[in-house]
Amino acid sequence: MNVSPDLDSRFREAALREGLVDVRYDVVDSPVGELFVASTARGLCRISYWPGGMEESLARTFGPRVLRSPLDDVRRELEEYFEGERREFDLPIDLRVAPFHADVLAELARVPYGRTETYGALAAKVGRPKAARAVGTVMNRNPIPIVLPCHRIVGANGSLTGYAGGLDVKLRLLQHEGAMLV
Amino acid sequence: MMEVVATEIPPFERFYLEHRDEVLGYLRRLLGPRAEDAWQETFLRALRAYNRLQHARNLRSWVFTIATNVAMDELRAKPQPPLDGAPGADLRRDAFRELEHLTDGLPPTERAAVVLRYGYDLPYAQIADALGSSEEAARAAASSGVRRLRRTHERLA
């Protein structure tokens, strides 16, 4: 006895309407591949290039009531970004990270579209000029890439160094934004 | 030995995908065309309680328990109307399909016990959980249901 798509979506809508969901997620298409996106009642909490095991990861951080459901706002803003119509995201975000990570990500969010910044410079902005490597770790664990633009952070010599979605994606995002690359 | 992995609460989405179809099938057997509302209520109740679960053992019987409660409430409020046509009119060969068709005439508890035992192969301990009764009472409900079916069947034959 299979649940029809209609019955299924009525259930998902009722669950959200009643506020019974800790975190909802969706998978959206983009020019850099499928993106796993997730949101709590407070805001966008995750973007991942790799959907495998993400439900479990969300359950551990936000609670077990994880439900798939369309995230239209997120989908739309990402589409606008990739179409070149959006330079800043207006989505509220829900970050649950350690204080140092929160400080670094807050500074990261201020790096403008189409510009790059070095790990060291970002470290200096949070008052830890010698913590370039620790800033690298924060970038590496950035829960909301693209929206929190860790692709704009590069090595001191201008090298791309690393990226969760792969260096080719980092390069593509920077080219898309028209960033001047050394 | 403790199996930590096996008892970690799965994300609700996984639990839901695993059980949604069989729970709907179960409720169809108990409630017929009224099953869809009961199905939604079952998973909403499951979701309301899901973040208070202490472990992930027997999630299948847990959701059948909820479904049974929802169905019982429904059946007590509005008893199942008899299906169209005489129950014996189109008996199929398959043993459970035969029962399934006839279980409509059973009292709710017996119906649930018979359907869970013979339709879903749940052990009596889990049927007892679902019915909120002892294992002995679950066994008694199923066998009394089967006896009643046999009598009905003989009358119709």
Side-chain angles (χ1 to χ4, degrees):
Chain A
M1 186 65 57
N2 287 338
V3 171
S4 67
D6 177 54
L7 185 57
D8 176 73
S9 57
R10 269 189 283 149
F11 164 68
R12 292 175 192 273
E13 282 160 21
L16 290 166
R17 204 166 44 237
E18 288 197 27
L20 299 174
V21 177
D22 296 320
V23 55
R24 55 201 282 204
Y25 71 90
D26 197 7
V27 176
V28 303
D29 278 328
S30 87
V32 293
E34 284 192 333
L35 298 171
F36 179 101
V37 299
S39 194
T40 66
R42 287 191 230 165
L44 179 65
C45 64
R46 200 69 66 93
I47 291 181
S48 173
Y49 290 99
W50 312 106
M54 284 306 297
E55 293 94 334
E56 280 75 10
S57 164
L58 291 176
R60 281 191 289 272
T61 307
F62 301 99
R65 297 180 304 178
V66 178
L67 197 67
R68 184 167 181 160
S69 164
L71 285 165
D72 295 333
D73 293 356
V74 179
R75 180 187 298 268
R76 182 168 24 82
E77 292 210 9
L78 284 170
E79 270 171 17
E80 289 165 357
Y81 169 79
F82 283 111
E83 282 163 12
E85 293 163 5
R86 173 176 287 280
R87 292 173 162 240
E88 283 174 19
F89 291 92
D90 297 321
L91 299 162
I93 61 179
D94 182 0
L95 271 184
R96 308 209 188 166
V97 294
F100 176 66
H101 285 243
D103 291 348
V104 174
L105 293 172
E107 277 304 327
L108 172 66
R110 295 195 185 99
V111 179
Y113 183 94
R115 303 276 280 280
T116 58
E117 186 82 270
T118 66
Y119 294 94
L122 197 54
K125 283 186 177 171
V126 294
R128 300 268 302 276
K130 289 179 183 164
R133 191 175 290 272
V135 165
T137 303
V138 176
M139 296 304 104
N140 191 31
R141 298 196 188 148
N142 177 9
I144 318 177
I146 303 175
V147 170
L148 295 176
C150 59
H151 57 279
R152 294 176 196 153
I153 306 304
V154 297
N157 60 359
S159 67
L160 293 179
T161 62
Y163 191 61
L167 285 182
D168 54 328
V169 171
K170 186 168 185 173
L171 182 61
R172 247 184 108 176
L173 292 175
L174 288 171
Q175 286 170 337
H176 169 71
E177 295 184 5
M180 296 299 286
L181 295 170
V182 186
Chain B
M1 288 291 285
M2 286 276 288
E3 275 211 45
V4 177
V5 174
T7 57
E8 189 181 346
I9 313 285
F12 185 85
E13 180 74 24
R14 287 203 198 292
F15 159 82
Y16 168 73
L17 293 180
E18 194 174 335
H19 299 295
R20 62 179 181 178
D21 292 337
E22 64 174 354
V23 167
L24 181 60
Y26 172 58
L27 289 167
R28 281 257 159 80
R29 283 172 174 157
L30 295 185
L31 297 172
R34 286 183 287 164
E36 290 198 351
D37 288 346
W39 174 87
Q40 176 162 315
E41 178 57 23
T42 297
F43 280 97
L44 287 175
R45 283 192 199 178
L47 194 49
R48 281 181 208 119
Y50 203 74
N51 56 343
R52 296 192 304 271
L53 282 177
Q54 298 298 310
H55 60 76
R57 290 189 296 274
N58 291 334
L59 286 181
R60 182 168 185 254
S61 73
W62 178 67
V63 72
F64 274 114
T65 301
I66 299 170
T68 304
N69 289 335
V70 173
M72 293 296 171
D73 292 348
E74 181 67 20
L75 287 168
R76 281 184 200 114
K78 283 172 277 172
Q80 170 85 339
L83 292 180
D84 295 340
D90 61 347
L91 282 184
R92 282 167 253 183
R93 286 201 188 83
D94 172 63
F96 180 71
R97 292 207 173 277
E98 201 169 304
L99 287 174
E100 177 190 0
H101 190 79
L102 292 167
T103 50
D104 298 327
L106 295 182
T109 309
E110 291 180 13
R111 189 192 310 180
V114 168
V115 172
L116 287 172
R117 182 69 200 102
Y118 299 103
Y120 291 87
D121 214 23
L122 245 60
Y124 282 112
Q126 292 181 15
I127 297 172
D129 286 345
L131 297 175
S133 68
S134 66
E135 198 173 323
E136 209 166 90
R139 237 175 243 283
S143 72
S144 147
V146 168
R147 274 200 308 279
R148 203 187 296 270
L149 285 176
R150 204 171 278 144
R151 283 199 301 276
T152 313
H153 186 73
E154 279 161 5
R155 257 206 319 280
L156 292 166

